[in-house]
């Protein structure tokens, strides 16, 4: 089986290396020699230690008749979409790690691919075989929820804020120095990367359509050390979660920081690791943990797809041989989210302020579950900070309360809210 | 696709129920209606709420031409081996949850099955799709180790000893009352159940042959509350681990209680849950967590195998299309195990005893890494208890030291040892 690698960066290099290093084992497991024969790169002058010929002539590689599988590792959306569509139309198999592409065009690609193998295990949670697990391992289940830490950069930052007491800015800087965060970290810390992965998983769990712009995406940029410490007082850990959840006949899809109960397995996923919990009606609660990124972990997933293709093991792309008979599940409107909430609120240290706050809350259907007020420190001129959590509430009510509180004179900073996930 | 269920206990009932309850979804996912048409039971008088016809005539069911897949859930070894061999010879697909059968006869069954589908996802770790994960999801990897908590009963007992301070006997009794342990718990607490599962996983990870009698199996019966508390002082948690590990050209297979570093994910797997960590050369460290037993979790795995058969998704039984070219890996002799060790030792409270112990140890190549002696309590007539851990040592040396210590007059009880797993 002859493989072309389109885009030879960290992952592509590792795919070629591991195919060569583990060749004996991979041949035994797959029944075929899987050989990387050519790599396509933009810049031929960049030195790469990869052991296969390189070219910058994409068109020539696409036209070759001796390639059985194309591995797309370029990133981006429009260009790879065009390239992959062309390849699939020629009935050549494709393996990709490109989550952005799939977040936008997965159903179009499914239509074009039809019976041509199309692997994308590497697009979600790097080395963790979560696509296969959801699509095949848990196929007997109605999925109640998929909740996960799907972005290693954000998790690294939150972990160092928690363990080292660093501020967001300092933790981000150290992540950048260690190569865990990009110079422009928005894609990771803003929740967009996790959202792309969530959309892919939600197609398998629920068969839902949805693009990044359809779902709630919030990042971790506004989390402070204080939030983390006070959450710990309430027995919670703060994580950036990507959540797909069935609520009656609708599906909630959202990415945001969340307070997670300390004793949940997912709260124990630290550093750059990923962890995804899946709850199914038959299986109950499961959790899958591993490195969510990195050249060789991602290459492990890419090659597992190649081995499946060599073995002629082929599941339906999103796990449905027949489109779901039920009306396709609808996305739940963001205002209809129901969960518990955590608030951080800095107010004037005056008589009656607390009564005013609780009045505003109860008039808008919010009730307080727990409350914490730090003793005011000397020289602390900027008011006192209140921390509290609510009972289960409607997102619409929460938004209204934040809006009303923001306008009050005694409120010194825009109130900050984090959702709580059991 | 018509299914016969051989053996209708807790799991069989759930297989039938879920196939009926989730039928719409399962049909969409598998492309076929998967219908349980008959159940075979020993005792027709026992009331079962299952919704399919039952019979006690096994032979008649085996001869039926309208059955596509047989699900074996009877347990035992010899009888199911005979039955399944017969079915496979007729080229009918089989799905089983029977780990004891596979621990003894998996390679014979592989030979008989040839290309006939044979699913056994449910035989290891109930609802966790660990077979599929190892065989397909991580197929690119040389596996360094598979370490896991594969027996929920033992883990429940160890967890309640740790969290509730119960003795082994009291924790076992509560497990029996809750239905987590059998009246005769030997199979679970003695490590045999975990050993069966380990042998199955080792065939996928390493292609090794091996039967339960070939490997080291120790149970948790001798663990005391003190061991657990003192392990915690050393930052460890005690777990019953099943371990498959590559050491040079050999494979270590062993089941025994082990001290696991507190911050490892596997140390966080509590109660009846299972957790299996797999380390691969490409992927790094991964961990898979979920309910390891229970009717409906196990049924989830059985049905995922049925769906794979309906989808015509078929991987080689242990993941090798071609037998490994390398000499099949040999099992490492038990005396050649190298790890760190924990000791509990009750001795006379006399001058010079400690010097004698350390002399015996150093003469036999053991060196102490950490040491703890409890202050003697009033009325504690039975000597003092010493707790210590060693640097990495050879099992053979450890055995010799235990033998020598046992013979010393100042040693009041047979020394007790637990292996340490990073």
């Amino acid at each position: 089986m002859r493989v072309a690698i389109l885009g030879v960066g960290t992952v592509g290099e590792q795919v070629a290396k591991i195919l060569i290093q583990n060749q004996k084992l991979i041949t035994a497991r797959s029944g075929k020699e899987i050989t990387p024969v050519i790599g396509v790169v933009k810049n031929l002058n960049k030195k790469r230690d990869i052991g296969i010929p390189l070219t910058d002539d994409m068109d020539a590689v696409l036209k070759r008749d001796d390639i059985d599988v194309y591995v797309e590792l370029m990133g981006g959306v429009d260009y790879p979409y065009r390239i992959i569509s062309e390849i699939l139309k020629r009935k050549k198999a494709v393996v990709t790690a490109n989550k952005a592409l799939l977040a936008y065009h997965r159903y179009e690609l499914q239509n074009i691919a039809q019976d041509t193998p199309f692997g994308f295990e590497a697009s979600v949670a790097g080395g963790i075989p979560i696509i296969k697990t959801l699509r095949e391992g848990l196929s007997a289940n109605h999925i109640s929820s998929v909740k996960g830490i799907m972005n290693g950069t954000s998790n690294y930052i939150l972990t160092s804020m928690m363990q080292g007491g660093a501020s967001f800015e300092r933790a981000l800087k150290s992540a950048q120095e260690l190569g865990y965060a990009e110079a422009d970290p928005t894609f990771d810390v803003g929740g967009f990367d996790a959202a792309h992965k969530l959309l892919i998983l939600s197609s398998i769990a629920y068969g839902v359509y949805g693009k990044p712009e359809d779902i709630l995406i919030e990042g971790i940029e506004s989390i402070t050390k204080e939030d983390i410490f006070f959450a710990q007082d309430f027995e919670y850990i703060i994580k950036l979660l990507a959540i797909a959840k069935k609520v009656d006949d609708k599906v909630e899809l959202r990415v945001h920081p969340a307070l997670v109960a300390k004793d949940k397995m997912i709260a124990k996923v630290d550093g750059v690791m990923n962890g995804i919990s899946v709850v199914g009606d038959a299986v109950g609660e499961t959790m899958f943990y591993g490195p969510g990124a990195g050249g060789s972990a991602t290459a492990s997933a890419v090659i597992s797809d190649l081995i499946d293709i060599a073995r002629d093991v082929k599941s339906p792309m999103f796990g449905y041989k027949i489109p779901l008979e039920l009306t396709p599940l609808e996305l739940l409107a963001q205002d209809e989210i129901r969960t518990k909430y955590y608030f951080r609120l800095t107010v004037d240290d005056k008589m009656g302020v607390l009564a005013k706050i609780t009045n505003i809350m109860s008039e808008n259907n919010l009730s307080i579950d727990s409350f914490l007020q730090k003793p005011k420190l000397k020289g602390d001129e900027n008011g006192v900070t209140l921390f509290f959590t609510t009972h289960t509430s409607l997102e619409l009510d929460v938004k209204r309360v934040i809006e009303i509180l923001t306008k009050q004179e005694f409120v010194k900073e825009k109130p900050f809210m984090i959702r709580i996930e059991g």
Side-chain angles (χ1 to χ4, degrees), chain A residues 51-349:
Chain A
I52 60 166
L54 296 175
T55 173
D56 57 4
D57 189 348
M58 177 69 84
D59 284 340
V61 172
L62 295 183
K63 280 182 197 133
R64 277 171 68 160
D65 282 326
D66 65 333
I67 306 289
D68 301 301
V69 188
Y70 290 85
V71 174
E72 185 272 309
L73 301 168
M74 302 179 293
V77 175
D78 295 340
Y79 181 59
Y81 178 55
R82 189 161 63 71
I83 300 286
I84 291 180
S85 304
E86 248 180 74
I87 298 169
L88 290 172
K89 280 176 193 153
R90 296 184 56 220
K91 304 276 174 217
K92 299 280 193 170
V94 172
V95 172
T96 181
N98 189 331
K99 49 200 172 275
L101 168 70
L102 291 163
Y104 285 98
H105 295 300
R106 61 198 180 282
Y107 289 106
E108 292 97 316
L109 288 169
Q110 183 185 32
N111 281 338
I112 301 170
Q114 299 287 345
D115 281 336
T116 305
F118 185 104
F120 55 103
E121 183 61 71
S123 66
V124 182
I128 309 172
I130 187 66
I131 304 275
K132 185 174 282 284
T133 294
L134 255 184
R135 185 177 57 190
E136 298 158 40
L138 303 177
S139 55
N141 292 263
H142 285 282
I143 303 297
S144 322
S145 67
V146 178
K147 282 188 203 176
I149 294 167
M150 305 187 193
N151 182 268
T153 307
S154 304
N155 203 47
Y156 175 85
I157 292 172
L158 291 172
T159 304
S160 36
M161 289 174 73
M162 181 178 70
Q163 293 176 350
S167 66
F168 173 78
E169 290 72 20
R170 200 151 60 81
L172 170 60
K173 211 172 155 236
S174 114
Q176 284 167 327
E177 282 161 8
L178 288 164
Y180 295 151
E182 308 281 336
D184 176 0
T186 320
F187 190 64
D188 290 313
V189 302
F192 303 102
D193 170 75
H196 290 169
K197 296 167 180 167
L198 181 69
L199 286 164
I200 297 170
L201 295 183
S202 72
S203 284
I204 303 172
Y206 302 111
V208 283
Y209 296 64
K211 303 214 159 158
E213 48 272 27
D214 303 327
I215 72 173
L216 187 158
I217 305 175
E218 291 172 11
I220 60 166
E221 305 91 333
S222 307
I223 309 273
T224 65
K225 287 191 278 186
E226 285 70 32
D227 294 323
I228 286 178
F229 293 135
F230 283 89
Q232 285 187 300
D233 275 351
F234 292 123
E235 301 284 305
Y236 290 112
I237 306 272
I238 300 183
K239 294 291 182 192
L240 178 68
L241 286 193
I243 300 169
K245 200 195 258 181
K246 185 119 187 282
V247 182
D248 303 322
D249 278 347
K250 298 193 174 177
V251 175
E252 242 176 78
L253 296 181
R254 45 192 167 101
V255 175
H256 54 73
L259 274 66
V260 184
K262 234 180 186 162
D263 59 344
K264 291 268 168 195
M265 282 304 278
I266 214 150
K268 299 168 186 173
V269 175
D270 284 334
V272 291
M273 301 301 275
N274 280 195
I276 300 176
S277 134
V278 181
V279 180
D281 61 349
V283 74
E285 187 174 354
T286 58
M287 209 270 290
F288 308 93
Y289 168 88
S296 100
T298 309
S300 166
V302 167
I303 297 173
S304 77
D305 277 344
L306 292 173
I307 294 175
D308 270 2
I309 293 172
R311 284 173 174 168
D312 204 17
V313 163
K314 208 179 59 182
S315 277
M317 188 162 157
F318 298 112
Y320 300 91
K321 278 270 190 186
I322 305 170
L324 279 176
E325 263 186 56
L326 14 149
T327 5
L329 289 166
E330 265 180 70
L331 296 186
L332 186 79
Q334 292 176 18
D335 283 348
E336 288 169 38
I337 292 171
R338 278 187 176 280
T339 186
K340 296 175 178 183
Y341 294 81
Y342 156 92
F343 283 86
R344 163 168 43 89
L345 193 59
T346 303
V347 298
D348 279 336
D349 189 16

Side-chain angles (χ1 to χ4, degrees), chain A residues 1-3 32-37 68-69 305-307 309-310:
Chain A
M1 197 167 96
R2 296 165 65 83
V3 176
K32 290 183 186 163
E33 271 194 28
I34 303 178
T35 314
V37 292
D68 301 301
V69 188
D305 277 344
L306 292 173
I307 294 175
I309 293 172

